[in-house]
């Protein structure tokens, strides 16, 4: 485990420039655009009344990623000890927690809110796999490098790892009841958040406008989240210039400023043993002066001892909140002198409660901005169902996430408005500035040693809204051991789930040839042709296609000779294909089932004397048995019914998850059966910007490919392996041993075998 920890620490430091904004400012603030005098006057006019003898208390909450959850514990202790908060200024995560409190939530409600958040999904680069459309799920299974590019203005990508769709919806929910506020002074507690103008380097104090977009800007960590364009400015994380906004809090007409600093402390001597740690320490030292200057403006300071917890440790929310509570308690003597008398506390709470707003219960008007024309009308049609009924924000979040999962929009936000006394809902669409067309990259490495090693790399280029709305032109190119060039035009028919899809392809794939248990040749399986499909797409989980395909094929020895002549000729077949995908991941699911069924009627093909029918069904099911463990069952089978398959129709077995102790295509026949039973368990979690989880697992396989059902020989394989979800796709390593003594070590990169 120590080596894993060292790996994680080293990787995290190599990306410290992206994370730095969560920890502290890079340089002194060059200027703040809030007018201090005007700000003080507005705060004074809007502030709830309180006894004249009591000085107003302002709170300054620093940024710090997951460490910022400690602010909740601090606020809980302040409430329990009757210490009022008359205004809040926050940066980055401090802005998010500060806004939760400023909009009227109690610390207990705040705790429930953040603990219900799936943080991995909230900061992911796109919606979770179940929320993607079926077409985008196909992309993720084919090209599993999670780094989409675009060709809109030359080859480039997004300005951040994540567009923040998940985080944006959280902020929309916080701000929704206050969508029509003229100023953040009108919140139950007056509020400010700080962002950085990336064009001038100035600090920007956000005090009115869209609360959700202001928070989004304050949290837009460069490299992690895309920046926010607001009022003509390009805004990013406020921690770059003012991570502990005591100066902003001081400007809000307060007499007392309490600063909460949850920044990462300097590392000790023992931690400075790697280049990454030393460079990170150097940057932290450069920012230390800014933090010290900010803290000099505070009358009281709370610095929770968060130990080695990092800016990405959202899974430790409960522990971080508790440490924040203890941090405040350790300063009890200094803080209690600002407490209200017990008899005045209920009056303070009542005044704050009176300023709370409840969200509209329904919406009767819908506005869609950010797009126009057919795209705007299409979004309006998809969102009409939310009108004239009780407004369910969970349902709205799901609808907007699924639309984002279609792949064309970077994010979708919402807010309320009132027009002539009628409540409405405004949805703001943010299109991706780098595409379409979009580029998804693929790197596929598969091997069982030097004698069986395949490497291929390529890309999928997708043009969207071709000819008509939702039309897609998909183009695949793969070069290396396997070669493929393919193109498909996909066009839905009107507003139905029906579609047409003409396509063309050319491919050359390696194919092993065996004599008994000995590989005697590697053939090149060359095919070039096309087809036309009519289909039905349910949107997210399944697709059914009917079509006709024709291709010219050739089997020619590349390495060695099997003593067999080359085979060539034309193949034509009618095909029916059904796919159901209810799993939660394209690489290592934890739950759900997937079914792929192909039924074909082959009219002609080399080696066929008569037309034949074939059926091939493949299934995989994952069942969770705990938070980290799942059982899985794979079963598949194929038959040529009563015919004899030609060279292009033979079923094969062998290779990883097809009898891993044997080479690919080691067994062939007119029919085959296969099954596997095993488990996978989470072993380790990589940093968010490096990948996902690492799993280990074990499974047993059994199967046979045969011509005569009376001569079936069932072969088995025991397997033990490790699979890691990384930024280049899944990386897998497995040892496979058969009961009869065959063994192999299989590995893959970019695709799960």
């Amino acid at each position: 485990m120590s080596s894993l920890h060292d790996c994680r620490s080293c990787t995290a430091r190599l990306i410290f420039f992206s994370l730095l904004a969560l920890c502290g400012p890079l340089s002194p603030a060059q200027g703040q655009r809030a007018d201090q005098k005007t700000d003080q006057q507005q705060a004074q006019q809007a502030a709830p009344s309180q006894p004249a003898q009591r000085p107003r208390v302002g709170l300054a909450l620093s940024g710090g990623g997951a460490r910022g959850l400690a602010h909740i514990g601090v606020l809980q202790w302040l409430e329990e000890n009757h210490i009022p908060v008359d205004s809040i200024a926050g940066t980055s995560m401090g802005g998010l927690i500060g806004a939760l409190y400023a909009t009227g939530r109690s610390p207990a409600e705040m705790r429930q809110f953040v603990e219900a958040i799936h943080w991995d999904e909230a900061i992911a680069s796109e919606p979770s796999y179940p929320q993607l459309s079926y077409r985008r799920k196909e992309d993720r299974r084919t090209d599993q490098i999670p780094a989409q590019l675009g060709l809109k203005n030359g080859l480039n990508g997004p300005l951040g790892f994540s567009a923040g769709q998940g985080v944006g919806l959280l902020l929309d929910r916080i701000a929704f009841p206050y969508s029509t506020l003229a100023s953040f002074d009108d919140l139950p507690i007056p509020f400010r958040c700080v962002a950085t103008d990336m064009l001038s380097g100035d600090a920007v104090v956000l005090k009115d406008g869209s609360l959700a977009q202001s928070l989004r800007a304050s949290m837009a960590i460069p490299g992690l989240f895309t920046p926010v364009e607001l009022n003509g400015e390009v805004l990013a994380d406020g921690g770059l210039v003012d991570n502990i906004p005591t100066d902003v809090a001081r400007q809000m007409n307060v007499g007392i400023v309490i600063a909460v600093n949850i920044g990462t402390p300097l590392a000790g001597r023992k931690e400075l043993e790697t280049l990454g740690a030393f460079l990170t320490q150097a940057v932290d030292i450069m920012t230390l002066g800014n933090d010290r200057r900010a803290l000099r403006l505070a009358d009281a300071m709370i610095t929770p001892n968060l130990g080695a917890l990092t800016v990405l440790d959202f899974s430790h929310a409960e522990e971080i909140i508790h440490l924040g509570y203890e941090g405040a308690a350790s300063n009890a003597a200094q803080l209690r002198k600002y407490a209200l008398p017990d008899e005045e506390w209920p009056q303070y709470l009542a005044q704050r409660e009176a300023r709370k707003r409840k969200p509209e219960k329904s919406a009767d008007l819908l506005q869609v901005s950010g797009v126009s024309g057919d795209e705007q009308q299409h979004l309006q049609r998809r969102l009409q169902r939310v009108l004239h009924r009780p407004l369910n924000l969970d349902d709205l979040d799901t609808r907007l996430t699924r639309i984002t999962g279609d792949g064309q929009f970077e994010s979708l936000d919402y807010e309320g408005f009132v027009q002539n006394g009628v409540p409405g809902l405004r949805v703001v669409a943010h299109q991706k500035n780098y595409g379409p067309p979009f580029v998804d990259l693929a790197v596929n490495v598969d091997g069982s040693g030097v004698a069986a090693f395949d490497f291929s790399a390529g890309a999928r280029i997708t043009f969207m809204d071709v000819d008509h709305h939702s039309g897609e032109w998909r183009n695949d190119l793969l070069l290396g051991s396997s070669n493929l060039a393919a193109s498909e035009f996909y066009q839905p028919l009107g507003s139905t789930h029906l579609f047409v899809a003409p396509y063309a392809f050319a491919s050359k794939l390696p194919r092993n040839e065996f004599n008994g248990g000995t590989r005697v040749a590697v053939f090149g399986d060359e095919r070039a042709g096309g087809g036309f499909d009519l289909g039905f797409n349910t949107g997210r989980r399944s697709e059914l296609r009917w079509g006709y395909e024709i291709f010219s094929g050739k089997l020619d020895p590349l390495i060695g000779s099997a003593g067999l002549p080359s085979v060539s000729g034309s193949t034509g077949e009618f095909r029916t294909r059904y796919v159901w995908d209810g799993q939660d991941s394209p690489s290592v699911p934890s739950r759900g089932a997937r079914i792929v069924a192909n039924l074909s009627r082959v009219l002609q093909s080399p080696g066929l004397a008569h037309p034949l029918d074939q059926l091939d069904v493949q299934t995989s099911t994952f069942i969770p048995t705990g938070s980290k463990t799942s059982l899985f069952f794979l079963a598949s089978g194929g038959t040529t019914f009563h015919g004899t398959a030609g060279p292009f129709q033979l079923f094969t077995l062998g290779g990883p998850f097809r009898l891993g102790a044997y080479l690919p295509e080691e067994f062939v026949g007119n029919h085959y059966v296969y099954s596997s039973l095993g488990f996978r368990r989470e072993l380790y979690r990589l940093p968010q910007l490096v990948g996902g989880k690492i799993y280990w697992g074990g499974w047993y396989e059994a199967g046979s490919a045969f011509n005569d059902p009376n001569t079936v020989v069932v072969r088995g394989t025991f397997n033990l392996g490790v699979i890691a979800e990384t930024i280049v796709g899944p990386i897998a390593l497995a040892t496979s041993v058969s009961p009869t003594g065959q063994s192999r070590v299989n590995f893959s990169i970019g695709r799960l075998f």
Side-chain angles (χ1 to χ4, degrees):
M1 288 301 292
S2 62
S3 61
L4 288 174
H5 181 272
D6 292 343
C7 177
R8 177 180 180 182
S9 177
C10 178
T11 305
R13 281 160 172 76
L14 290 178
I15 58 173
F16 70 90
F17 285 112
S18 294
L19 299 179
L20 180 59
L22 284 169
C23 305
L26 290 174
S27 61
Q30 296 179 8
Q32 294 184 352
R33 298 184 183 171
D35 185 297
Q36 180 173 348
K37 182 177 179 181
T38 302
D39 215 16
Q40 290 177 342
Q41 292 173 345
Q42 290 178 347
Q44 192 170 19
Q45 293 170 359
S49 60
Q50 57 267 323
Q53 70 274 14
R54 179 176 75 81
R56 286 171 46 81
V57 177
L59 203 58
L61 305 180
S62 75
R67 294 168 64 93
L69 298 175
H71 294 315
I72 298 176
V74 170
L75 290 166
Q76 179 183 347
W77 189 91
L78 294 179
E79 280 214 351
E80 290 177 358
N81 288 271
H82 296 180
I83 298 171
V85 175
D86 300 300
S87 64
I88 301 174
T91 295
S92 196
M93 196 64 176
L96 170 61
I97 301 302
L100 280 170
Y101 195 60
T103 52
R105 287 176 172 83
S106 68
E109 291 170 331
M110 295 165 64
R111 183 192 293 262
Q112 292 175 353
F113 185 90
V114 300
E115 289 180 349
I117 297 171
H118 299 286
W119 289 101
D120 284 349
E121 295 181 9
I123 63 177
S125 59
E126 66 179 6
S128 64
Y129 186 74
Q131 299 284 21
L132 296 179
S133 68
Y134 179 81
R135 299 281 294 179
R136 303 291 76 80
K137 286 182 178 180
E138 285 187 318
D139 293 341
R140 297 302 162 263
R141 285 190 174 273
T142 303
D143 306 302
Q144 293 195 8
I145 296 179
Q148 189 181 68
L149 303 174
L151 296 173
K152 191 172 185 178
N153 300 301
L155 183 63
N156 54 46
L159 296 179
F161 168 78
S162 171
Q165 169 70 12
V167 170
L169 291 177
L170 294 174
L171 303 180
D172 290 341
R173 178 168 297 216
I174 294 170
F176 186 64
Y178 303 93
S179 298
T180 59
L181 281 186
S183 166
F184 299 166
D185 286 328
D186 297 331
L187 291 168
I189 300 174
F191 174 74
R192 302 285 186 272
C193 61
V194 181
T196 302
D197 186 338
M198 296 302 291
L199 300 180
S200 68
D202 292 341
V204 179
V205 179
L206 299 165
K207 57 183 180 180
D208 53 30
S210 169
L211 176 59
Q213 285 299 297
S214 297
L215 294 172
R216 172 73 177 79
S218 182
M219 298 178 64
I221 307 161
L224 180 59
F225 293 122
T226 55
V228 175
E229 292 191 29
L230 194 62
N231 302 323
E233 298 170 321
V234 180
L235 303 180
D237 191 280
L240 292 169
V241 290
D242 196 2
N243 194 53
I244 310 176
T246 51
D247 52 343
V248 179
R250 181 68 68 185
Q251 294 167 12
M252 298 178 71
N253 189 33
V254 298
I256 301 297
V257 173
I258 300 174
V260 185
N261 178 20
I262 45 79
T264 305
L266 295 177
R269 186 179 186 85
K270 291 184 179 180
E271 287 78 28
L272 294 179
E273 297 179 353
T274 65
L275 177 61
F278 195 81
L279 292 175
T280 302
Q281 185 87 328
V283 175
D284 288 343
I285 290 172
M286 287 189 293
T287 67
L288 194 59
N290 276 356
D291 290 348
R292 288 171 175 169
R293 282 190 291 271
L295 292 173
R296 283 202 278 286
L297 295 176
D299 298 285
M301 181 175 64
I302 301 171
T303 306
N305 182 8
L306 301 178
L309 291 164
T310 73
V311 295
L312 293 176
D313 279 332
F314 290 102
S315 59
H316 296 275
E318 185 174 348
E319 178 185 356
I320 294 172
I321 293 171
H322 176 70
L323 291 174
Y325 184 93
E326 289 186 339
S330 66
N331 289 271
Q334 183 183 19
L335 295 172
R336 281 185 177 136
K337 61 185 178 181
Y338 308 124
L340 286 176
D342 291 345
E343 62 273 13
E344 294 182 14
W345 182 250
Q347 180 185 358
Y348 164 80
L349 292 180
Q351 290 175 342
R352 193 175 71 187
E353 185 71 20
R355 293 163 61 88
K356 287 178 61 175
R357 293 190 181 187
K358 294 183 179 180
E360 295 288 349
K361 295 182 179 180
S362 64
D364 296 318
L365 299 174
L366 176 65
Q367 291 182 0
V368 175
S369 62
V371 290
S372 59
D374 291 342
E375 192 64 55
Q376 185 183 56
Q377 294 176 12
H378 179 69
L379 285 178
Q380 288 175 334
R381 285 194 299 270
R382 294 187 67 174
L383 295 169
Q384 281 294 323
R385 293 183 180 180
V386 304
L387 299 180
H388 314 302
R389 62 178 62 187
L391 190 57
N392 186 322
L393 295 185
D394 289 332
D395 176 67
L396 180 61
D397 285 355
T398 299
R399 290 179 184 273
L400 295 179
T401 301
R402 289 178 178 176
I403 294 173
T404 307
D406 291 346
Q408 189 160 352
F409 296 109
E410 188 173 70
S411 62
L412 293 168
D413 300 318
Y414 67 88
E415 62 184 5
F417 71 95
V418 177
Q419 182 174 306
N420 298 325
V422 180
L425 180 70
R426 180 181 296 110
V427 174
V428 182
H430 302 276
Q431 293 184 306
K432 296 178 179 179
N433 61 2
Y434 56 94
F438 298 113
V439 180
D440 292 294
L441 302 176
V443 174
N444 300 326
V445 179
D446 300 288
S448 300
V450 177
F453 180 85
D454 294 325
F455 172 83
S456 302
R460 166 169 288 178
I461 302 174
T462 305
F463 296 81
M464 291 187 167
D465 285 345
V466 179
D467 190 25
H468 296 288
H469 177 75
S470 296
E472 294 184 10
W473 181 24
R474 173 189 286 172
N475 302 273
D476 290 318
L477 181 65
L478 189 68
L479 300 174
S481 304
S482 299
N483 297 275
L484 169 69
S487 183
E488 179 193 69
F489 177 68
Y490 172 92
Q491 179 59 60
L493 300 178
S495 58
T496 70
H497 291 284
L498 296 172
F499 66 87
V500 294
Y503 60 92
F505 64 91
S507 64
K508 185 175 182 179
L509 310 176
R511 176 168 157 178
N512 293 322
E513 189 72 26
F514 290 84
N515 185 0
T518 303
R519 186 173 65 165
V520 295
V522 177
F523 275 66
D525 186 338
E526 300 181 38
R527 306 185 188 192
F532 184 91
D533 286 342
L534 172 67
F536 182 85
N537 187 317
T538 62
R540 289 190 304 119
R541 290 194 174 185
S542 65
E543 182 182 86
L544 177 64
R545 289 186 177 222
W546 305 270
Y548 182 78
E549 180 178 285
I550 186 169
F551 65 86
S552 176
K554 183 178 180 180
L555 286 172
D556 216 12
L558 297 176
I559 302 174
S561 174
L564 298 174
S566 298
V567 177
S568 62
S570 296
T571 297
E573 60 182 320
F574 287 101
R575 303 186 313 149
T576 300
R577 176 179 172 85
Y578 176 74
V579 179
W580 166 271
D581 192 344
Q583 294 179 341
D584 61 355
S585 170
S587 54
V588 192
S590 62
R591 66 178 68 243
R594 177 176 165 84
I595 302 171
V596 181
N598 291 283
L599 176 65
S600 59
R601 170 73 172 176
V602 184
L603 302 180
Q604 65 177 38
S605 189
L608 292 188
H610 305 284
L612 61 82
D613 299 316
Q614 281 193 315
L615 175 66
D616 184 13
V617 179
Q618 301 178 28
T619 69
S620 60
T621 303
F622 286 74
I623 302 172
T625 58
S627 60
K628 295 186 176 182
T629 307
S630 291
L631 299 178
F632 63 84
F633 176 68
L634 282 62
S636 59
T639 179
T640 314
F641 295 103
H642 303 294
T644 299
F648 291 104
Q649 289 79 43
L650 286 170
F651 294 109
T652 67
L653 272 182
F657 285 103
R658 300 281 287 179
L659 297 179
Y662 303 90
L663 285 172
E665 297 96 33
E666 188 162 342
F667 309 107
V668 297
N670 289 323
H671 320 277
Y672 85 97
V673 291
Y674 168 85
S675 64
S676 175
L677 178 65
F679 73 94
R680 69 109 185 99
R681 179 172 175 79
E682 180 182 336
L683 179 65
Y684 186 71
R685 180 183 292 270
L686 295 169
Q688 181 73 29
L689 300 183
V690 176
K693 300 175 182 178
I694 298 178
Y695 304 88
W696 74 281
W699 61 99
Y700 179 76
E701 307 170 275
S704 178
F706 54 92
N707 293 321
D708 184 354
N710 297 317
T711 60
V712 174
V713 177
V714 178
R715 295 172 173 85
T717 299
F718 295 95
N719 305 270
L720 187 66
V722 177
I723 302 171
E725 299 172 324
T726 75
I727 58 175
V728 296
I731 297 177
L733 179 67
T735 298
S736 303
V737 180
S738 74
T740 54
Q742 290 88 347
S743 63
R744 293 202 173 275
V745 176
N746 299 298
F747 61 90
S748 69
I749 301 174
R751 188 182 299 175
L752 186 54
F753 300 123

